[in-house]
Coordinates of all heavy atoms in Angstrom, one line a residue:
P76 N 124.1 88.9 18.1 CA 122.9 89.0 18.9 C 121.7 89.2 18.0 O 121.7 90.0 17.0 CB 123.2 90.1 19.9 CG 124.2 91.0 19.1 CD 125.0 90.1 18.3
T77 N 120.5 88.8 18.5 CA 119.2 89.1 17.9 C 118.7 90.4 18.4 O 119.2 91.0 19.3 CB 118.2 88.0 18.1 OG1 118.1 87.8 19.6 CG2 118.8 86.6 17.7
D78 N 117.6 90.8 17.7 CA 116.9 92.1 18.2 C 116.6 92.0 19.6 O 116.6 93.1 20.3 CB 115.7 92.4 17.3 CG 116.2 92.6 15.8 OD1 117.3 92.9 15.6 OD2 115.3 92.5 15.0
A79 N 116.0 90.9 20.0 CA 115.6 90.7 21.5 C 116.8 90.8 22.3 O 116.7 91.5 23.4 CB 114.8 89.4 21.7
E80 N 117.8 90.2 22.0 CA 119.0 90.3 22.8 C 119.5 91.8 22.9 O 120.1 92.2 23.9 CB 120.1 89.4 22.3 CG 119.7 87.9 22.5 CD 120.8 87.0 21.9 OE1 121.6 87.6 21.1 OE2 120.7 85.8 22.1
V81 N 119.5 92.5 21.8 CA 119.9 93.8 21.7 C 119.1 94.7 22.6 O 119.6 95.6 23.4 CB 119.9 94.5 20.3 CG1 120.1 96.0 20.3 CG2 120.9 93.7 19.4
E82 N 117.7 94.5 22.6 CA 116.9 95.3 23.5 C 117.2 94.9 25.0 O 117.2 95.8 25.8 CB 115.4 95.0 23.2 CG 114.9 95.4 21.8 CD 113.5 95.1 21.6 OE1 112.9 94.4 22.4 OE2 113.0 95.5 20.5
E83 N 117.5 93.7 25.2 CA 117.8 93.3 26.6 C 119.1 94.0 27.0 O 119.3 94.4 28.2 CB 117.9 91.7 26.7 CG 116.6 91.0 26.6 CD 116.8 89.5 26.7 OE1 117.9 89.1 26.8 OE2 115.8 88.8 26.6
D84 N 120.1 94.0 26.1 CA 121.3 94.6 26.4 C 121.1 96.1 26.7 O 121.7 96.7 27.6 CB 122.3 94.5 25.3 CG 122.7 93.0 25.2 OD1 122.6 92.3 26.1 OD2 123.3 92.7 24.0
L85 N 120.3 96.8 25.9 CA 120.0 98.2 26.2 C 119.3 98.4 27.5 O 119.6 99.3 28.3 CB 119.1 98.7 25.0 CG 119.8 98.8 23.7 CD1 118.7 99.3 22.7 CD2 120.9 99.7 23.7
A86 N 118.4 97.5 27.9 CA 117.8 97.5 29.2 C 118.7 97.4 30.3 O 118.7 98.1 31.3 CB 116.7 96.5 29.4
D87 N 119.7 96.5 30.1 CA 120.8 96.3 31.1 C 121.6 97.5 31.2 O 122.0 97.9 32.3 CB 121.6 95.0 30.7 CG 120.8 93.7 30.8 OD1 119.7 93.7 31.5 OD2 121.2 92.7 30.2
L88 N 121.9 98.1 30.1 CA 122.7 99.3 30.1 C 122.0 100.4 30.8 O 122.7 101.2 31.6 CB 123.2 99.7 28.7 CG 124.1 98.8 27.9 CD1 124.3 99.3 26.5 CD2 125.5 98.7 28.7
E89 N 120.7 100.6 30.6 CA 119.9 101.6 31.3 C 120.0 101.3 32.8 O 120.1 102.3 33.6 CB 118.6 101.7 30.7 CG 118.4 102.2 29.3 CD 117.0 102.2 28.8 OE1 116.1 101.8 29.6 OE2 116.8 102.6 27.7
A90 N 119.8 100.1 33.1 CA 119.8 99.8 34.6 C 121.2 100.1 35.2 O 121.3 100.5 36.3 CB 119.4 98.3 34.8
R91 N 122.2 99.7 34.4 CA 123.5 100.0 34.9 C 123.7 101.5 35.1 O 124.3 101.9 36.1 CB 124.5 99.4 33.9 CG 126.0 99.6 34.4 CD 127.0 99.3 33.2 NE 126.8 100.4 32.2 CZ 127.5 100.5 31.1 NH1 128.4 99.5 30.9 NH2 127.3 101.5 30.3
D92 N 123.3 102.3 34.1 CA 123.5 103.8 34.2 C 122.7 104.3 35.4 O 123.3 105.2 36.1 CB 122.9 104.4 33.0 CG 123.8 104.1 31.7 OD1 124.9 103.7 31.9 OD2 123.3 104.3 30.6
R93 N 121.5 103.8 35.7 CA 120.8 104.2 36.9 C 121.5 103.9 38.2 O 121.6 104.6 39.1 CB 119.4 103.6 36.9 CG 118.4 104.3 35.9 CD 117.0 103.9 36.1 NE 116.8 102.4 36.0 CZ 116.4 101.9 34.9 NH1 116.2 102.6 33.8 NH2 116.2 100.5 34.8

Side-chain angles (χ1 to χ4, degrees):
T77 60
D78 295 339
E80 293 176 349
V81 171
E82 293 179 358
E83 293 179 357
D84 293 340
L85 292 177
D87 294 339
L88 291 176
E89 292 178 358
R91 184 197 64 181
D92 293 340
R93 288 194 295 268

